[in-house]
Amino acid sequence: MTKQTAAIISAIGHPFLLLPLVLAWLTIRKLSFEAALPTLIAIASCIIIMVVFLYFRKKRGLISNWDVSLQKQRSENIYQPILILVFVAAIILYLIKQPFIGDTLFFGLLIAVCYAINTKIKVSQHTVMAFYVSFLALPVNLWIGLGLLTFAPFIAKSRTVLGRHDKDEVVIGGIVGIIFGILHYWLFE
């Protein structure tokens, strides 16, 4: 895989792109568009807040790059803000009587586990999310789920080609994504 190809695959597989697209599709599949709209707004709002947050952190020189590639920078720039957003989103979904509260809190648990792992090794969030959303999609549409599952190893490989992660970091990311994807199926499907 060339660096140019890896950059394209990595961009498509970025958690701030892949995760909300798959979650939006799943939400609309389970609810009508009108009923899903508050959840879709919550998903979009969380992503926008994180992008703006990271933009200002980068502008101030507090993060090295948009991927927050340095392990020490991930805690306060990725994991802590996302955990706060997940819990706020769960509360808002509860207050406006939307479904997916359990799914949202389970996602928070996934992020918390990645946060804990990050104290020892920088787990690839691209890889975690690629495998996780694959397993979310599988019971809804087998072909889309299999397509995402087939694409996930390419996302993992792109991260090593770009030098953002080593093999162990993407393997751990894959394992975490698969475990949480299977657990999500058992708990919520």
Side-chain angles (χ1 to χ4, degrees), residues 46-70:
C46 289
I47 296 300
I48 291 167
I49 289 167
M50 278 305 298
V51 168
V52 169
F53 173 76
L54 290 174
Y55 169 79
F56 284 108
R57 300 292 282 182
K58 175 78 173 116
K59 190 173 181 178
R60 293 182 187 153
L62 299 171
I63 58 174
S64 57
N65 56 49
W66 284 101
D67 282 338
V68 191
S69 292
L70 298 179

mmCIF file of all heavy atoms in Angstrom, residues 46-70:
data_model
loop_
_atom_site.group_PDB
_atom_site.id
_atom_site.type_symbol
_atom_site.label_atom_id
_atom_site.label_comp_id
_atom_site.label_asym_id
_atom_site.label_seq_id
_atom_site.Cartn_x
_atom_site.Cartn_y
_atom_site.Cartn_z
ATOM 1 N N CYS A 46 -22.026 16.241 18.595
ATOM 2 C CA CYS A 46 -20.830 15.698 19.263
ATOM 3 C C CYS A 46 -19.607 15.772 18.353
ATOM 4 O O CYS A 46 -18.523 16.163 18.789
ATOM 5 C CB CYS A 46 -21.080 14.263 19.720
ATOM 6 S SG CYS A 46 -22.212 14.134 21.114
ATOM 7 N N ILE A 47 -19.786 15.415 17.100
ATOM 8 C CA ILE A 47 -18.663 15.459 16.152
ATOM 9 C C ILE A 47 -18.207 16.900 15.930
ATOM 10 O O ILE A 47 -17.008 17.195 15.957
ATOM 11 C CB ILE A 47 -19.053 14.787 14.811
ATOM 12 C CG1 ILE A 47 -19.338 13.297 15.022
ATOM 13 C CG2 ILE A 47 -17.968 14.999 13.754
ATOM 14 C CD1 ILE A 47 -18.187 12.491 15.579
ATOM 15 N N ILE A 48 -19.151 17.803 15.736
ATOM 16 C CA ILE A 48 -18.799 19.210 15.518
ATOM 17 C C ILE A 48 -18.073 19.780 16.731
ATOM 18 O O ILE A 48 -17.047 20.466 16.585
ATOM 19 C CB ILE A 48 -20.058 20.040 15.169
ATOM 20 C CG1 ILE A 48 -20.567 19.647 13.781
ATOM 21 C CG2 ILE A 48 -19.772 21.538 15.250
ATOM 22 C CD1 ILE A 48 -21.958 20.157 13.454
ATOM 23 N N ILE A 49 -18.558 19.485 17.921
ATOM 24 C CA ILE A 49 -17.903 19.965 19.139
ATOM 25 C C ILE A 49 -16.475 19.441 19.219
ATOM 26 O O ILE A 49 -15.543 20.193 19.521
ATOM 27 C CB ILE A 49 -18.719 19.575 20.394
ATOM 28 C CG1 ILE A 49 -20.011 20.404 20.449
ATOM 29 C CG2 ILE A 49 -17.895 19.765 21.670
ATOM 30 C CD1 ILE A 49 -21.026 19.907 21.458
ATOM 31 N N MET A 50 -16.270 18.159 18.927
ATOM 32 C CA MET A 50 -14.909 17.601 18.980
ATOM 33 C C MET A 50 -13.998 18.226 17.928
ATOM 34 O O MET A 50 -12.830 18.522 18.211
ATOM 35 C CB MET A 50 -14.937 16.076 18.807
ATOM 36 C CG MET A 50 -15.251 15.314 20.070
ATOM 37 S SD MET A 50 -14.169 15.672 21.467
ATOM 38 C CE MET A 50 -12.575 15.161 20.856
ATOM 39 N N VAL A 51 -14.500 18.434 16.721
ATOM 40 C CA VAL A 51 -13.681 19.032 15.660
ATOM 41 C C VAL A 51 -13.287 20.459 16.039
ATOM 42 O O VAL A 51 -12.122 20.850 15.903
ATOM 43 C CB VAL A 51 -14.407 18.980 14.299
ATOM 44 C CG1 VAL A 51 -13.711 19.851 13.259
ATOM 45 C CG2 VAL A 51 -14.513 17.541 13.808
ATOM 46 N N VAL A 52 -14.232 21.227 16.550
ATOM 47 C CA VAL A 52 -13.932 22.600 16.964
ATOM 48 C C VAL A 52 -12.943 22.596 18.133
ATOM 49 O O VAL A 52 -11.979 23.368 18.149
ATOM 50 C CB VAL A 52 -15.235 23.365 17.325
ATOM 51 C CG1 VAL A 52 -14.939 24.697 18.009
ATOM 52 C CG2 VAL A 52 -16.089 23.571 16.072
ATOM 53 N N PHE A 53 -13.173 21.718 19.097
ATOM 54 C CA PHE A 53 -12.268 21.591 20.243
ATOM 55 C C PHE A 53 -10.844 21.288 19.773
ATOM 56 O O PHE A 53 -9.887 21.949 20.176
ATOM 57 C CB PHE A 53 -12.784 20.488 21.174
ATOM 58 C CG PHE A 53 -11.865 20.150 22.301
ATOM 59 C CD1 PHE A 53 -11.742 20.982 23.405
ATOM 60 C CD2 PHE A 53 -11.106 18.978 22.269
ATOM 61 C CE1 PHE A 53 -10.886 20.665 24.450
ATOM 62 C CE2 PHE A 53 -10.259 18.645 23.304
ATOM 63 C CZ PHE A 53 -10.143 19.492 24.404
ATOM 64 N N LEU A 54 -10.704 20.306 18.896
ATOM 65 C CA LEU A 54 -9.374 19.934 18.400
ATOM 66 C C LEU A 54 -8.766 21.033 17.538
ATOM 67 O O LEU A 54 -7.548 21.239 17.570
ATOM 68 C CB LEU A 54 -9.435 18.614 17.633
ATOM 69 C CG LEU A 54 -9.691 17.378 18.493
ATOM 70 C CD1 LEU A 54 -9.889 16.146 17.616
ATOM 71 C CD2 LEU A 54 -8.573 17.150 19.489
ATOM 72 N N TYR A 55 -9.597 21.740 16.788
ATOM 73 C CA TYR A 55 -9.099 22.851 15.980
ATOM 74 C C TYR A 55 -8.410 23.885 16.880
ATOM 75 O O TYR A 55 -7.294 24.328 16.600
ATOM 76 C CB TYR A 55 -10.237 23.507 15.196
ATOM 77 C CG TYR A 55 -9.833 24.806 14.546
ATOM 78 C CD1 TYR A 55 -9.105 24.815 13.358
ATOM 79 C CD2 TYR A 55 -10.153 26.029 15.135
ATOM 80 C CE1 TYR A 55 -8.708 26.011 12.773
ATOM 81 C CE2 TYR A 55 -9.758 27.225 14.554
ATOM 82 C CZ TYR A 55 -9.040 27.213 13.384
ATOM 83 O OH TYR A 55 -8.648 28.393 12.813
ATOM 84 N N PHE A 56 -9.080 24.266 17.960
ATOM 85 C CA PHE A 56 -8.497 25.271 18.854
ATOM 86 C C PHE A 56 -7.306 24.727 19.637
ATOM 87 O O PHE A 56 -6.351 25.454 19.904
ATOM 88 C CB PHE A 56 -9.563 25.865 19.772
ATOM 89 C CG PHE A 56 -10.450 26.844 19.063
ATOM 90 C CD1 PHE A 56 -11.767 26.528 18.760
ATOM 91 C CD2 PHE A 56 -9.964 28.079 18.651
ATOM 92 C CE1 PHE A 56 -12.580 27.421 18.076
ATOM 93 C CE2 PHE A 56 -10.766 28.982 17.969
ATOM 94 C CZ PHE A 56 -12.073 28.658 17.682
ATOM 95 N N ARG A 57 -7.324 23.439 19.968
ATOM 96 C CA ARG A 57 -6.175 22.839 20.649
ATOM 97 C C ARG A 57 -4.963 22.835 19.713
ATOM 98 O O ARG A 57 -3.848 23.123 20.129
ATOM 99 C CB ARG A 57 -6.494 21.413 21.113
ATOM 100 C CG ARG A 57 -7.652 21.282 22.072
ATOM 101 C CD ARG A 57 -7.389 21.879 23.405
ATOM 102 N NE ARG A 57 -6.561 20.998 24.206
ATOM 103 C CZ ARG A 57 -6.200 21.253 25.456
ATOM 104 N NH1 ARG A 57 -6.605 22.360 26.044
ATOM 105 N NH2 ARG A 57 -5.438 20.422 26.117
ATOM 106 N N LYS A 58 -5.199 22.524 18.441
ATOM 107 C CA LYS A 58 -4.122 22.525 17.444
ATOM 108 C C LYS A 58 -3.609 23.940 17.214
ATOM 109 O O LYS A 58 -2.396 24.180 17.158
ATOM 110 C CB LYS A 58 -4.623 21.902 16.126
ATOM 111 C CG LYS A 58 -3.636 21.950 14.981
ATOM 112 C CD LYS A 58 -2.590 20.888 15.109
ATOM 113 C CE LYS A 58 -1.726 20.837 13.876
ATOM 114 N NZ LYS A 58 -0.353 21.176 14.140
ATOM 115 N N LYS A 59 -4.531 24.881 17.104
ATOM 116 C CA LYS A 59 -4.164 26.281 16.859
ATOM 117 C C LYS A 59 -3.297 26.834 17.999
ATOM 118 O O LYS A 59 -2.393 27.622 17.763
ATOM 119 C CB LYS A 59 -5.435 27.116 16.695
ATOM 120 C CG LYS A 59 -5.191 28.520 16.217
ATOM 121 C CD LYS A 59 -6.500 29.221 15.909
ATOM 122 C CE LYS A 59 -6.205 30.623 15.396
ATOM 123 N NZ LYS A 59 -7.420 31.327 15.036
ATOM 124 N N ARG A 60 -3.565 26.395 19.215
ATOM 125 C CA ARG A 60 -2.794 26.841 20.381
ATOM 126 C C ARG A 60 -1.508 26.038 20.589
ATOM 127 O O ARG A 60 -0.772 26.285 21.528
ATOM 128 C CB ARG A 60 -3.646 26.761 21.633
ATOM 129 C CG ARG A 60 -4.788 27.734 21.647
ATOM 130 C CD ARG A 60 -5.560 27.642 22.933
ATOM 131 N NE ARG A 60 -6.747 28.462 22.860
ATOM 132 C CZ ARG A 60 -7.851 28.238 23.546
ATOM 133 N NH1 ARG A 60 -7.908 27.216 24.374
ATOM 134 N NH2 ARG A 60 -8.880 29.031 23.410
ATOM 135 N N GLY A 61 -1.290 25.038 19.731
ATOM 136 C CA GLY A 61 -0.085 24.225 19.840
ATOM 137 C C GLY A 61 -0.149 23.185 20.951
ATOM 138 O O GLY A 61 0.881 22.664 21.381
ATOM 139 N N LEU A 62 -1.350 22.851 21.397
ATOM 140 C CA LEU A 62 -1.515 21.900 22.496
ATOM 141 C C LEU A 62 -1.573 20.447 22.027
ATOM 142 O O LEU A 62 -1.490 19.535 22.845
ATOM 143 C CB LEU A 62 -2.757 22.247 23.308
ATOM 144 C CG LEU A 62 -2.708 23.640 23.964
ATOM 145 C CD1 LEU A 62 -4.055 23.990 24.572
ATOM 146 C CD2 LEU A 62 -1.597 23.692 25.006
ATOM 147 N N ILE A 63 -1.773 20.255 20.721
ATOM 148 C CA ILE A 63 -1.705 18.909 20.143
ATOM 149 C C ILE A 63 -0.766 18.956 18.947
ATOM 150 O O ILE A 63 -0.646 19.972 18.277
ATOM 151 C CB ILE A 63 -3.091 18.347 19.742
ATOM 152 C CG1 ILE A 63 -3.814 19.247 18.733
ATOM 153 C CG2 ILE A 63 -3.952 18.094 20.970
ATOM 154 C CD1 ILE A 63 -5.115 18.678 18.201
ATOM 155 N N SER A 64 -0.114 17.826 18.699
ATOM 156 C CA SER A 64 0.899 17.771 17.644
ATOM 157 C C SER A 64 0.290 17.733 16.249
ATOM 158 O O SER A 64 0.847 18.274 15.307
ATOM 159 C CB SER A 64 1.795 16.553 17.857
ATOM 160 O OG SER A 64 1.007 15.378 17.889
ATOM 161 N N ASN A 65 -0.869 17.057 16.112
ATOM 162 C CA ASN A 65 -1.521 16.935 14.808
ATOM 163 C C ASN A 65 -2.985 16.565 15.014
ATOM 164 O O ASN A 65 -3.412 16.273 16.126
ATOM 165 C CB ASN A 65 -0.797 15.911 13.924
ATOM 166 C CG ASN A 65 -0.685 14.555 14.580
ATOM 167 O OD1 ASN A 65 -1.660 14.013 15.086
ATOM 168 N ND2 ASN A 65 0.519 14.005 14.602
ATOM 169 N N TRP A 66 -3.747 16.570 13.927
ATOM 170 C CA TRP A 66 -5.185 16.293 14.004
ATOM 171 C C TRP A 66 -5.498 14.888 14.503
ATOM 172 O O TRP A 66 -6.575 14.644 15.044
ATOM 173 C CB TRP A 66 -5.834 16.526 12.645
ATOM 174 C CG TRP A 66 -6.008 17.967 12.349
ATOM 175 C CD1 TRP A 66 -5.223 18.730 11.539
ATOM 176 C CD2 TRP A 66 -6.991 18.843 12.881
ATOM 177 N NE1 TRP A 66 -5.675 20.028 11.526
ATOM 178 C CE2 TRP A 66 -6.769 20.125 12.352
ATOM 179 C CE3 TRP A 66 -8.047 18.670 13.764
ATOM 180 C CZ2 TRP A 66 -7.561 21.223 12.666
ATOM 181 C CZ3 TRP A 66 -8.841 19.772 14.070
ATOM 182 C CH2 TRP A 66 -8.585 21.023 13.536
ATOM 183 N N ASP A 67 -4.593 13.954 14.285
ATOM 184 C CA ASP A 67 -4.813 12.586 14.766
ATOM 185 C C ASP A 67 -4.501 12.448 16.249
ATOM 186 O O ASP A 67 -4.745 11.400 16.828
ATOM 187 C CB ASP A 67 -3.929 11.597 13.992
ATOM 188 C CG ASP A 67 -4.480 11.274 12.623
ATOM 189 O OD1 ASP A 67 -5.694 11.451 12.408
ATOM 190 O OD2 ASP A 67 -3.702 10.825 11.769
ATOM 191 N N VAL A 68 -3.959 13.475 16.846
ATOM 192 C CA VAL A 68 -3.503 13.434 18.241
ATOM 193 C C VAL A 68 -2.672 12.164 18.413
ATOM 194 O O VAL A 68 -2.989 11.277 19.190
ATOM 195 C CB VAL A 68 -4.682 13.512 19.246
ATOM 196 C CG1 VAL A 68 -4.168 13.751 20.661
ATOM 197 C CG2 VAL A 68 -5.667 14.614 18.874
ATOM 198 N N SER A 69 -1.613 12.101 17.645
ATOM 199 C CA SER A 69 -0.808 10.892 17.549
ATOM 200 C C SER A 69 0.047 10.615 18.781
ATOM 201 O O SER A 69 0.458 9.482 18.994
ATOM 202 C CB SER A 69 0.096 10.954 16.315
ATOM 203 O OG SER A 69 -0.689 10.882 15.162
ATOM 204 N N LEU A 70 0.347 11.628 19.556
ATOM 205 C CA LEU A 70 1.165 11.389 20.741
ATOM 206 C C LEU A 70 0.300 10.809 21.858
ATOM 207 O O LEU A 70 -0.726 11.381 22.224
ATOM 208 C CB LEU A 70 1.848 12.679 21.203
ATOM 209 C CG LEU A 70 2.817 13.302 20.199
ATOM 210 C CD1 LEU A 70 3.408 14.587 20.750
ATOM 211 C CD2 LEU A 70 3.923 12.322 19.832
#
